[in-house]
Amino acid sequence: MRENEKELYQIKRELSIRKIIIVSIVTVFIISIIVLVSLYISKESFRKWVDINILRKNLTEQDISSIDLDIDKNNQICCYSKYIGILNDKNLKLYNQTGQSIIDIAVNINTALFASNNKYLAIAEKNGQEFCVISDKTYLWEGKVDGEILQIHINKNGYVVLVTTDTTYKSTITVYDASGKQLLKNYLSSTRVIDVSITNDNKYVAFAEIDTSGALIKSNIKIISIEEAVKDSNQAIINSYDADTSKMIVSVEYQEKNNLICEYDNSINLISNSTNNEILAIDNKTTFMSSNLTNSIAYITEESSGIFNSDSVLNIINTSNNQKSIYNFDEVVKEMYTYGNTIGINVGTEIYFVNTNGLLIKKYTSNQEITNVQISSDLAIIIYKDRVEIINL
């Protein structure tokens, strides 16, 4: 009986030791993960090392797919959602993320203006009259307008905004719903529209205009209520914001929560709940800026690192909570590209794709200079004369 008790005690003791060892290992593992995650978030040098050496976010031409181009054709190229479109000879050929051709769509357009938002692609004839809308891989509808098309925009629900000009009006803004039904027309006889944007809830259209009729150029931003415009076009404009004569409007962009970001040549302003506040003053260190993001603005500043050397800093400000993130580069930035939650930073033969939290998504190294880049929600493309390279984000 004593022998059995000894064996039972020994078994319990071994199980207890095993439990202690397992708990200790799990505890050490969890603490290590917490420490590594904390270091990854807080220490940029460690984060960059992990991105390149552990997570393998560095790509080269051998790691990606590409599409060969017929250089004898006038190839007009766009990307949206998970597709790449190549338009020539009034035919839009769509490719998937691996570079495989999936469908051909006939479009009556020669020289294209492209606008995309998630699964929607809008195409218009530059300085022409015809335009069309594609959803995913389906040709939805087409339209024709009087005058000449200057701009086309589309929101994530497929609502289209056109800016046209003719002999009577400097600018005309026309809005269509997702089925192609015209909702409103707004005529501007003496001002020129610089940019337009429509909210994701389909309720408001903002447009930036400049007035050159006086001694000084004036910049204005006006808000159209689509609901009011449908009832009475004379009551369509519900808010107007006049800028100081020292400010020249560059672009407007609706983000989440109907926040309107207004880019001027010397500042970025946020219009929210009818209040107009400056959120960034632009100085001579700022080389690039963009508000074409879901809920952020991004801008590049150059910092001197020596007599002949300069470093670049990507600054990202969340327009909903004012939180700021940064990403540092040891090179001078040549171009910046933005879409959704992705920022592309071109430094010559390398391009970094960073999210709006300041974390690296991918880094791509090319064998030649990078000059033409587009970004969608799912991919980025680098366009050369003879090929299109595809980077899945």
Coordinates of all heavy atoms in Angstrom, one line a residue, residues 160-211:
V160 N -22.3 59.4 -59.8 CA -21.3 60.0 -60.6 C -21.5 61.5 -60.6 O -22.6 62.0 -60.6 CB -21.4 59.5 -62.1 CG1 -20.6 60.3 -63.1 CG2 -21.1 58.0 -62.2
V161 N -20.4 62.3 -60.6 CA -20.4 63.7 -60.7 C -19.6 64.1 -62.0 O -18.4 63.7 -62.1 CB -19.8 64.4 -59.5 CG1 -20.0 66.0 -59.6 CG2 -20.5 64.0 -58.2
L162 N -20.2 64.9 -62.9 CA -19.5 65.3 -64.1 C -19.3 66.8 -64.0 O -20.2 67.6 -63.5 CB -20.2 65.0 -65.3 CG -20.2 63.6 -65.9 CD1 -21.0 63.6 -67.2 CD2 -18.8 63.2 -66.2
V163 N -18.1 67.3 -64.4 CA -17.9 68.8 -64.6 C -17.7 69.0 -66.1 O -16.8 68.4 -66.7 CB -16.7 69.3 -63.8 CG1 -16.5 70.8 -64.1 CG2 -16.9 69.0 -62.3
T164 N -18.5 69.8 -66.7 CA -18.4 70.1 -68.1 C -18.3 71.6 -68.4 O -18.6 72.4 -67.5 CB -19.7 69.6 -68.9 OG1 -20.9 70.2 -68.3 CG2 -19.8 68.1 -68.8
T165 N -18.0 72.0 -69.6 CA -18.0 73.4 -70.0 C -18.6 73.5 -71.4 O -18.6 72.6 -72.2 CB -16.6 74.0 -70.0 OG1 -16.6 75.4 -70.2 CG2 -15.7 73.3 -71.0
D166 N -19.1 74.7 -71.7 CA -19.7 75.0 -73.0 C -19.6 76.5 -73.3 O -19.0 77.2 -72.5 CB -21.1 74.5 -73.1 CG -22.1 75.1 -72.1 OD1 -21.9 76.3 -71.7 OD2 -23.0 74.4 -71.6
T167 N -20.2 76.9 -74.4 CA -20.0 78.3 -74.8 C -20.8 79.3 -73.9 O -20.5 80.5 -73.8 CB -20.5 78.5 -76.2 OG1 -21.9 78.0 -76.3 CG2 -19.6 77.8 -77.2
T168 N -21.8 78.8 -73.1 CA -22.6 79.6 -72.2 C -22.1 79.6 -70.8 O -22.1 80.7 -70.2 CB -24.1 79.1 -72.2 OG1 -24.5 79.0 -73.6 CG2 -25.0 80.0 -71.4
Y169 N -21.7 78.5 -70.3 CA -21.3 78.4 -68.9 C -19.8 77.9 -68.8 O -19.4 77.0 -69.5 CB -22.2 77.4 -68.1 CG -23.6 77.8 -68.1 CD1 -24.5 77.2 -69.0 CD2 -24.1 78.8 -67.2 CE1 -25.9 77.6 -69.0 CE2 -25.4 79.1 -67.2 CZ -26.3 78.6 -68.1 OH -27.6 78.9 -68.1
K170 N -19.1 78.6 -67.9 CA -17.7 78.1 -67.7 C -17.6 76.7 -67.1 O -16.8 75.9 -67.4 CB -17.0 79.1 -66.7 CG -16.5 80.4 -67.4 CD -15.5 81.1 -66.5 CE -14.9 82.3 -67.2 NZ -13.9 83.0 -66.4
S171 N -18.6 76.4 -66.2 CA -18.7 75.1 -65.6 C -20.1 74.7 -65.3 O -20.9 75.5 -64.9 CB -17.9 75.1 -64.3 OG -16.5 75.4 -64.4
T172 N -20.4 73.4 -65.5 CA -21.7 72.8 -65.2 C -21.4 71.6 -64.4 O -20.6 70.7 -64.8 CB -22.5 72.5 -66.4 OG1 -22.8 73.7 -67.1 CG2 -23.9 71.9 -66.0
I173 N -22.1 71.4 -63.3 CA -21.9 70.2 -62.4 C -23.2 69.4 -62.6 O -24.3 69.9 -62.3 CB -21.7 70.6 -61.0 CG1 -20.4 71.4 -60.8 CG2 -21.7 69.3 -60.1 CD1 -20.2 72.0 -59.4
T174 N -23.0 68.1 -63.0 CA -24.2 67.2 -63.1 C -24.0 66.0 -62.3 O -22.9 65.4 -62.3 CB -24.4 66.8 -64.6 OG1 -24.3 67.9 -65.5 CG2 -25.7 66.1 -64.8
V175 N -25.0 65.6 -61.6 CA -24.9 64.4 -60.7 C -25.9 63.3 -61.2 O -27.1 63.6 -61.5 CB -25.2 64.8 -59.2 CG1 -25.2 63.6 -58.3 CG2 -24.3 65.8 -58.7
Y176 N -25.5 62.1 -61.2 CA -26.3 60.9 -61.6 C -26.3 59.9 -60.4 O -25.2 59.7 -59.7 CB -25.7 60.2 -62.8 CG -25.6 61.1 -64.0 CD1 -24.5 62.0 -64.2 CD2 -26.6 61.2 -65.0 CE1 -24.4 62.8 -65.3 CE2 -26.5 62.0 -66.1 CZ -25.4 62.8 -66.3 OH -25.3 63.6 -67.3
D177 N -27.4 59.2 -60.3 CA -27.4 58.1 -59.3 C -26.8 56.8 -59.9 O -26.3 56.8 -61.0 CB -28.8 57.9 -58.7 CG -29.8 57.3 -59.7 OD1 -29.3 56.8 -60.8 OD2 -31.0 57.3 -59.4
A178 N -26.8 55.7 -59.1 CA -26.1 54.5 -59.5 C -26.8 53.9 -60.7 O -26.1 53.0 -61.4 CB -26.0 53.5 -58.4
S179 N -28.0 54.2 -61.1 CA -28.7 53.7 -62.2 C -28.5 54.5 -63.5 O -29.0 54.2 -64.5 CB -30.2 53.5 -61.9 OG -30.8 54.7 -61.8
G180 N -27.9 55.7 -63.3 CA -27.7 56.6 -64.4 C -28.8 57.7 -64.5 O -28.8 58.5 -65.5
K181 N -29.7 57.8 -63.5 CA -30.7 58.8 -63.5 C -30.1 60.2 -63.1 O -29.4 60.2 -62.1 CB -31.8 58.5 -62.5 CG -32.9 59.5 -62.4 CD -33.9 59.1 -61.3 CE -34.9 60.3 -61.1 NZ -35.9 59.9 -60.0
Q182 N -30.3 61.2 -63.9 CA -29.8 62.5 -63.6 C -30.6 63.1 -62.4 O -31.8 63.2 -62.4 CB -29.9 63.5 -64.8 CG -29.4 64.9 -64.5 CD -29.5 65.8 -65.7 OE1 -29.0 65.4 -66.8 NE2 -30.1 66.9 -65.5
L183 N -29.8 63.6 -61.4 CA -30.4 64.1 -60.1 C -30.4 65.6 -60.1 O -31.3 66.2 -59.6 CB -29.7 63.5 -58.9 CG -29.7 62.0 -58.7 CD1 -28.9 61.6 -57.5 CD2 -31.1 61.5 -58.6
L184 N -29.3 66.2 -60.6 CA -29.3 67.7 -60.6 C -28.3 68.2 -61.6 O -27.4 67.5 -62.0 CB -28.9 68.2 -59.2 CG -27.5 67.9 -58.7 CD1 -26.5 69.0 -59.0 CD2 -27.5 67.7 -57.2
K185 N -28.4 69.5 -61.9 CA -27.5 70.3 -62.7 C -27.3 71.6 -62.0 O -28.3 72.3 -61.7 CB -28.0 70.4 -64.1 CG -27.4 69.4 -65.1 CD -27.6 69.8 -66.5 CE -26.9 68.8 -67.5 NZ -27.0 69.3 -68.9
N186 N -26.0 72.0 -61.9 CA -25.7 73.3 -61.3 C -24.8 74.1 -62.3 O -23.8 73.6 -62.7 CB -25.0 73.1 -60.0 CG -24.9 74.4 -59.2 OD1 -23.8 75.1 -59.3 ND2 -25.9 74.8 -58.4
Y187 N -25.3 75.3 -62.7 CA -24.6 76.0 -63.7 C -23.8 77.2 -63.1 O -24.3 77.9 -62.2 CB -25.7 76.6 -64.7 CG -26.5 75.6 -65.4 CD1 -27.7 75.2 -64.9 CD2 -26.0 75.0 -66.6 CE1 -28.5 74.3 -65.6 CE2 -26.8 74.0 -67.2 CZ -28.0 73.7 -66.7 OH -28.8 72.7 -67.4
L188 N -22.6 77.3 -63.6 CA -21.7 78.4 -63.1 C -21.3 79.2 -64.3 O -20.5 78.7 -65.2 CB -20.5 77.9 -62.3 CG -20.8 76.9 -61.2 CD1 -19.6 76.2 -60.7 CD2 -21.6 77.6 -60.1
S189 N -21.7 80.5 -64.4 CA -21.5 81.3 -65.6 C -20.1 82.0 -65.5 O -19.6 82.3 -66.6 CB -22.6 82.3 -65.8 OG -22.8 83.1 -64.6
S190 N -19.7 82.3 -64.3 CA -18.5 83.2 -64.2 C -17.3 82.6 -63.4 O -16.3 83.2 -63.3 CB -18.9 84.5 -63.5 OG -19.4 84.3 -62.2
T191 N -17.5 81.4 -62.9 CA -16.4 80.8 -62.1 C -16.1 79.4 -62.7 O -16.9 78.8 -63.4 CB -16.8 80.6 -60.6 OG1 -18.0 79.8 -60.6 CG2 -17.0 81.9 -60.0
R192 N -14.8 79.0 -62.4 CA -14.3 77.7 -63.0 C -14.2 76.7 -61.8 O -13.6 77.0 -60.8 CB -13.0 77.9 -63.7 CG -12.4 76.7 -64.3 CD -11.4 77.0 -65.3 NE -10.3 77.8 -64.8 CZ -9.2 77.3 -64.2 NH1 -9.0 75.9 -64.2 NH2 -8.2 78.0 -63.8
V193 N -14.7 75.5 -62.0 CA -14.6 74.5 -61.0 C -13.3 73.8 -61.1 O -12.8 73.4 -62.1 CB -15.7 73.4 -61.2 CG1 -15.5 72.2 -60.3 CG2 -17.1 74.0 -61.0
I194 N -12.6 73.8 -59.9 CA -11.3 73.2 -59.8 C -11.4 71.7 -59.4 O -10.7 70.9 -60.0 CB -10.4 73.9 -58.7 CG1 -10.2 75.4 -59.1 CG2 -9.1 73.3 -58.5 CD1 -9.5 75.6 -60.5
D195 N -12.3 71.4 -58.5 CA -12.5 70.0 -58.1 C -13.8 69.9 -57.5 O -14.5 70.8 -57.0 CB -11.4 69.7 -57.0 CG -11.2 68.2 -56.8 OD1 -11.6 67.4 -57.7 OD2 -10.7 67.8 -55.8
V196 N -14.3 68.6 -57.5 CA -15.6 68.3 -56.8 C -15.4 67.0 -56.1 O -14.5 66.2 -56.3 CB -16.8 68.1 -57.9 CG1 -17.0 69.4 -58.6 CG2 -16.5 67.0 -58.8
S197 N -16.3 66.8 -55.1 CA -16.4 65.5 -54.3 C -17.8 65.3 -53.8 O -18.5 66.2 -53.5 CB -15.4 65.6 -53.1 OG -15.3 64.4 -52.5
I198 N -18.2 64.0 -53.7 CA -19.5 63.6 -53.3 C -19.4 62.7 -52.1 O -18.5 61.9 -52.0 CB -20.3 62.9 -54.4 CG1 -21.7 62.5 -54.0 CG2 -19.5 61.7 -55.0 CD1 -22.6 62.1 -55.1
T199 N -20.3 62.9 -51.1 CA -20.2 62.1 -49.9 C -20.6 60.6 -50.2 O -21.3 60.3 -51.1 CB -21.1 62.7 -48.8 OG1 -22.5 62.7 -49.4 CG2 -20.7 64.0 -48.4
N200 N -20.1 59.8 -49.3 CA -20.4 58.3 -49.4 C -21.9 58.0 -49.1 O -22.3 56.9 -49.4 CB -19.5 57.5 -48.6 CG -18.1 57.4 -49.2 OD1 -17.9 57.4 -50.4 ND2 -17.1 57.4 -48.3
D201 N -22.6 58.9 -48.5 CA -24.0 58.7 -48.2 C -24.9 59.3 -49.3 O -26.1 59.4 -49.1 CB -24.4 59.2 -46.8 CG -24.2 60.7 -46.7 OD1 -23.9 61.4 -47.7 OD2 -24.4 61.2 -45.5
N202 N -24.3 59.8 -50.4 CA -25.0 60.3 -51.5 C -25.8 61.6 -51.3 O -26.6 62.0 -52.0 CB -25.9 59.3 -52.1 CG -25.3 57.9 -52.2 OD1 -24.2 57.8 -52.6 ND2 -26.1 56.9 -51.9
K203 N -25.5 62.3 -50.2 CA -26.3 63.4 -49.8 C -25.8 64.8 -50.2 O -26.6 65.7 -50.5 CB -26.5 63.5 -48.3 CG -27.4 62.3 -47.7 CD -27.6 62.5 -46.2 CE -28.5 61.4 -45.7 NZ -28.7 61.5 -44.2
Y204 N -24.5 64.9 -50.3 CA -23.9 66.2 -50.5 C -22.8 66.2 -51.6 O -22.1 65.2 -51.7 CB -23.3 66.8 -49.3 CG -24.3 66.9 -48.1 CD1 -24.3 66.0 -47.1 CD2 -25.2 67.9 -48.1 CE1 -25.2 66.0 -46.1 CE2 -26.2 68.0 -47.1 CZ -26.1 67.1 -46.1 OH -27.0 67.1 -45.0
V205 N -22.7 67.3 -52.4 CA -21.6 67.5 -53.3 C -20.9 68.8 -53.0 O -21.6 69.8 -52.8 CB -22.1 67.5 -54.8 CG1 -21.0 67.9 -55.7 CG2 -22.7 66.2 -55.2
A206 N -19.6 68.7 -52.8 CA -18.8 69.9 -52.6 C -18.0 70.2 -53.8 O -17.5 69.3 -54.5 CB -17.8 69.7 -51.4
F207 N -17.9 71.5 -54.2 CA -17.1 71.9 -55.3 C -16.3 73.1 -54.9 O -16.7 74.0 -54.2 CB -17.9 72.1 -56.6 CG -18.9 73.3 -56.5 CD1 -18.5 74.5 -57.0 CD2 -20.2 73.1 -56.1 CE1 -19.4 75.6 -57.0 CE2 -21.1 74.2 -56.1 CZ -20.7 75.4 -56.6
A208 N -15.0 73.1 -55.4 CA -14.1 74.2 -55.3 C -14.1 75.0 -56.6 O -14.0 74.4 -57.7 CB -12.7 73.7 -54.9
E209 N -14.2 76.3 -56.5 CA -14.2 77.2 -57.7 C -13.3 78.4 -57.5 O -13.0 78.8 -56.4 CB -15.7 77.7 -57.9 CG -16.2 78.5 -56.8 CD -17.6 79.1 -57.1 OE1 -18.1 78.9 -58.2 OE2 -18.2 79.7 -56.2
I210 N -12.8 78.9 -58.6 CA -12.1 80.1 -58.6 C -12.7 81.2 -59.5 O -13.3 80.8 -60.5 CB -10.6 79.9 -59.0 CG1 -10.5 79.4 -60.4 CG2 -9.9 79.0 -58.0 CD1 -9.1 79.4 -60.9
D211 N -12.7 82.4 -59.0 CA -13.3 83.5 -59.8 C -12.1 84.4 -60.2 O -11.4 85.0 -59.4 CB -14.3 84.3 -58.8 CG -15.0 85.4 -59.6 OD1 -14.6 85.7 -60.7 OD2 -16.0 85.9 -59.0

